[in-house]
């Protein structure tokens, strides 16, 4: 049922005004600076066209929004307010850890809280929509955008993607009342993470089964949570770019997933149909995108220059045009913009008020997302040790990572600053930003290492080395950092590696040189404080890997949820030739999905499986964890399954549930998983999600590789 007042407004609009509503441009077109997140074209646009567009993306400040909106409304005939959108991906000005790090928390409540706080800062700066969450399924760390993802498990990603939407929009979706919330645009629909070779923007060629089984669930979760927009992806799907893919948008997104909101292209993706060579010119690009169902053309002039003529030449398209414009007006109405075009802005004081709570929340997030991969009794640090802090990231403030919007690096707490507050016997070999580590720096570092009890080696990626348009063919430490690790280890065996990274890296060649490895990811504004708390034991590391760390880049794409194949490698056929394996590498990850250590330990003492209800197909899985040590221990108990015989080939393991658990010292604790048969449904060859009768093996453990079989159920 359409809103009457919007239908009436639609009737008043001219064809040019309707087309204008489907155009989104950066602030540059209003002589204001803003964020450029894609190739920049400048094209001629009349003043009339400027004051007919529907949306602006990429403003940085409240002042910009206020100035542009005010100027626009003064000149707009129908006074339809602009809707302002931005990439608020992991914070607006106070920066949270990158999304891949946030996924390492396996904590939907943390995600929801972070999204709510980011929305508050963004809304105060006049942002109405964020191009987040990114729901892409990923299994290839060569693709720099794994940084923005929730990792390699569709179930985990679905849960976290929905949490982002709730956090941004608010559970009741009362965006027109709660001016501290913003609308969510889930992206990139669909399959972008499967770019061949991990090379950004490259061809994607997936089976429908793969798309339905692994790539759609997180989008469905976001749409079911109420995501207001969907952004299509740059890549081809079944041979046609998503931006011009009518079956994908109309049949899959609209009909199968039931999406009723606004469909927006990615940056210049309509015009890029020409580069894809599926359109000869801008007019054909506009025609194909519009037919497919793109309702807002981000940063291209195709709709602006050609859509009016296309509609005039084909009046039967008028209804589709009205539907698209209605979706734009509906979004603005949901946000309350007709009543308050300056939504969220305090016109008297346009400065954004950064509050301490948000900053402390980013610290909590960084503490909960770091992953301890190795610790040979060297962490936590103690005050009576002589500690050396060495490496390019030792006192670096480049710890936000890509998509950190207007976060100011000078506001970041470096590792050095964080550790300096811990009153340790700390010597720091600072690092001047150079392209690669010099021999001189390495020599100085080795001297300091020799005089120290423990060496903290802070290394990793610069912000430019992961994220969009940051594909790599090598995943070892860059810029001679691997040489630094190996040289230092020759002078002091007590090396703690602290990694600042936006993606899984290949640590195989340096892993043995380190007694401990802590994955800090890009930890955000409070990174130094969080890592210092973790390294000194104030807080126990509790992150778990949301994405496998490979032994070699040659293993990619890699996921724990791989299929069995007809010739699986098993513990008892290792010496056989004709099995699915490499001649020069293991099959499994160096560090598998779900893996992570703490400072304590616990064991699974006993498990039971109980068939609670035959009628409802409900089972209860109980596990008793026991902690024999004197220290409380935080862990993540994980429940996996394997469907023993299926219609289509299924993964050897599937994560079904997980639980964060604090096991008190010298105690045991019982954990119960309630699981329904419906959780074992999978997409069949007819593309329908359904159960089929058979046996399901259940596994419980602390990562995807070590989980032990606890029994079978028959459904
Ligand atoms: C970029 C990205 C997309 C982003 C958009 C707007 O190219 O692909 O994720 O939201 O443009 O900045």
């Amino acid at each position: 049922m359409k809103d009457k007042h919007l239908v009436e407004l639609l009737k008043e609009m001219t064809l040019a005004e309707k087309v204008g509503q489907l155009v989104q441009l950066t602030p540059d077109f209003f002589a204001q600076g803003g964020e450029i997140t894609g190739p920049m074209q400048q094209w001629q646009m009349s003043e009339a066209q400027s004051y007919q567009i529907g949306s602006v993306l990429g403003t940085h400040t409240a002042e910009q929004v206020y100035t542009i909106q005010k100027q626009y409304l003064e000149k707009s005939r129908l006074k339809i307010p602009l809707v302002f959108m931005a990439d608020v991906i992991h914070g607006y000005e106070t920066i949270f850890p990158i999304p891949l790090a946030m996924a390492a928390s396996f904590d939907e409540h943390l995600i929801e809280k972070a999204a709510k706080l980011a929305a508050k800062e963004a809304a105060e700066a006049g942002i109405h929509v964020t191009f987040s969450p990114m729901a892409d399924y990923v299994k290839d760390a060569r693709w720099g955008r794994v940084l923005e993802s929730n990792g390699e498990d569709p179930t985990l990603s679905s849960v976290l993607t929905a949490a982002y939407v709730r956090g941004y929009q608010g559970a009741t979706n009362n965006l027109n009342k709660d001016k501290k919330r913003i609308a969510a645009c889930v992206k990139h629909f669909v399959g972008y993470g499967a770019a061949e070779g991990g090379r950004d923007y490259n061809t994607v060629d997936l089976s429908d089964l793969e798309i339905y089984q692994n790539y759609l669930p997180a989008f469905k979760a976001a749409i079911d949570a109420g995501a207001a927009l969907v952004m299509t992806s740059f890549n081809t799907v079944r041979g046609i770019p998503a931006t011009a893919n009518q079956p994908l948008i109309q049949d899959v997104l609209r009909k199968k997933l039931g999406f009723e909101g606004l469909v927006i292209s990615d940056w210049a993706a309509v015009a890029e149909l020409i580069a894809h060579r599926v359109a000869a010119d801008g007019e054909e690009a506009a025609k194909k995108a519009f037919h497919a169902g793109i309702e807002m053309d981000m940063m291209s002039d195709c709709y602006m220059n050609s859509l009016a003529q296309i509609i005039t030449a084909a009046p039967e398209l008028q209804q589709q045009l009205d539907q698209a414009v209605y979706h734009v007006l509906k979004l603005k109405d949901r946000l309350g913009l007709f009543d308050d075009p300056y939504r969220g802005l305090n016109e008297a004081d346009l400065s954004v008020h950064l509050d301490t709570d948000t900053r402390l929340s980013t610290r909590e997030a960084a503490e909960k997302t770091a992953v301890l991969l190795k610790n040979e009794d060297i962490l936590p640090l103690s005050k009576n040790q002589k500690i050396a802090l060495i490496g390019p990231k030792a006192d670096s403030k480049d710890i936000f990572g890509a998509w950190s919007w207007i976060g100011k690096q000078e506001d970041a707490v470096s590792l050095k600053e964080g550790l300096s507050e811990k009153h340790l016997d700390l010597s720091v070999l600072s690092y001047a930003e150079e392209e690669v580590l010099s021999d001189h720096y390495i020599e100085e570092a080795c001297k300091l290492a020799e005089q120290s009890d423990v060496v903290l080696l802070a290394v990793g990626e610069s912000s430019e080395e992961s994220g969009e348009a940051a594909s790599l063919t090598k995943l070892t430490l860059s810029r001679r950092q691997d040489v630094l690790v190996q040289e230092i280890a020759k002078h002091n065996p007590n090396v703690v590696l602290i990694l600042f990274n936006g993606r899984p890296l290949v640590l195989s060649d340096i892993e043995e040189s380190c007694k401990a490895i802590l994955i800090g990811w890009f930890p955000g504004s409070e990174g130094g404080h969080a890592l210092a708390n973790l390294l000194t034991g104030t807080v126990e590391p509790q992150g778990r890997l949301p994405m496998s760390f490979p032994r070699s880049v040659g293993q990619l794409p890699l996921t724990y949820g791989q299929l069995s194949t007809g010739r699986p490698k098993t513990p008892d056929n290792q010496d056989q030739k004709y099995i699915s394996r490499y001649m020069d590498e293991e099959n499994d990850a160096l560090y598998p999905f779900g893996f992570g250590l703490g400072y304590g330990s616990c064991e699974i003492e006993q498990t039971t499986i109980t068939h609670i209800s035959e009628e409802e197909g409900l089972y209860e899985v109980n596990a008793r964890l026991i902690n024999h040590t004197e220290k409380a221990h935080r862990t993540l108990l994980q429940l996996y399954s394997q469907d023993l015989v299926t219609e289509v080939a299924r993964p050897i393991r599937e994560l079904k549930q997980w639980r964060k658990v604090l096991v008190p010292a010298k105690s045991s604790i019982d954990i119960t998983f309630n699981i329904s048969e419906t959780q074992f449904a999978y997409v069949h060859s007819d593309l329908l999600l359904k159960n089929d009768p058979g046996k399901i093996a259940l596994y419980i453990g602390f990562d995807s590789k070590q989980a032990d079989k606890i029994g079978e159920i028959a459904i």
Side-chain angles (χ1 to χ4, degrees), residues 110-186:
L110 179 73
I111 299 266
E112 187 170 338
K113 178 177 161 186
K116 178 181 178 183
L117 291 169
K120 178 176 175 294
E121 272 188 14
E124 279 188 359
I127 300 303
H128 306 136
V129 175
T130 178
F131 298 124
S132 173
M134 192 247 227
D136 294 306
Y137 171 66
V138 296
K139 49 187 182 178
D140 192 333
R142 292 173 295 181
W143 190 52
R145 301 198 75 169
V146 300
L147 174 144
E148 306 164 56
S149 77
N150 292 314
E152 71 186 57
D153 182 82
T155 302
L156 174 65
S157 184
S158 299
V159 168
L160 301 186
T161 304
Y164 275 107
V165 173
R166 292 195 304 272
Y168 290 134
Q169 299 191 162
T172 53
N173 285 346
N174 60 340
L175 286 167
N176 60 342
K177 293 187 183 65
D178 187 347
K179 307 291 175 72
K180 299 295 186 195
R181 303 283 187 159
I182 55 179
C185 174
V186 62

Side-chain angles (χ1 to χ4, degrees), residues 37 87 131 145 187-188 231 234 266-267 298 403 468:
T37 57
D87 294 279
F131 298 124
R145 301 198 75 169
K187 66 186 183 184
H188 307 84
M231 181 191 296
F234 292 119
D266 203 339
W267 182 291
M298 180 197 293
W403 297 107
E468 183 173 359

Side-chain angles (χ1 to χ4, degrees), residues 656-669:
K656 290 300 171 187
Q657 292 189 31
W658 56 92
R659 191 76 49 79
K660 298 178 73 114
V661 189
L662 176 62
V663 189
K666 291 289 191 192
S667 307
S668 61
I669 186 167

Side-chain angles (χ1 to χ4, degrees), residues 612-633:
I612 295 298
S613 159
E614 187 120 3
E615 191 182 328
E616 294 169 63
L618 291 178
Y619 294 83
E620 190 178 270
V621 175
N622 284 286
R624 173 162 295 166
L625 302 185
I626 187 161
N627 178 354
H628 296 293
T629 72
E630 302 294 336
K631 279 191 292 190
H633 174 49

Side-chain angles (χ1 to χ4, degrees), residues 346-362:
N346 169 351
E347 288 156 44
D349 167 14
L350 292 175
S351 58
V352 177
H353 305 288
L354 305 182
D355 62 28
T356 314
D357 287 351
T358 302
R359 196 165 178 105
L360 288 175
S361 297
T362 67

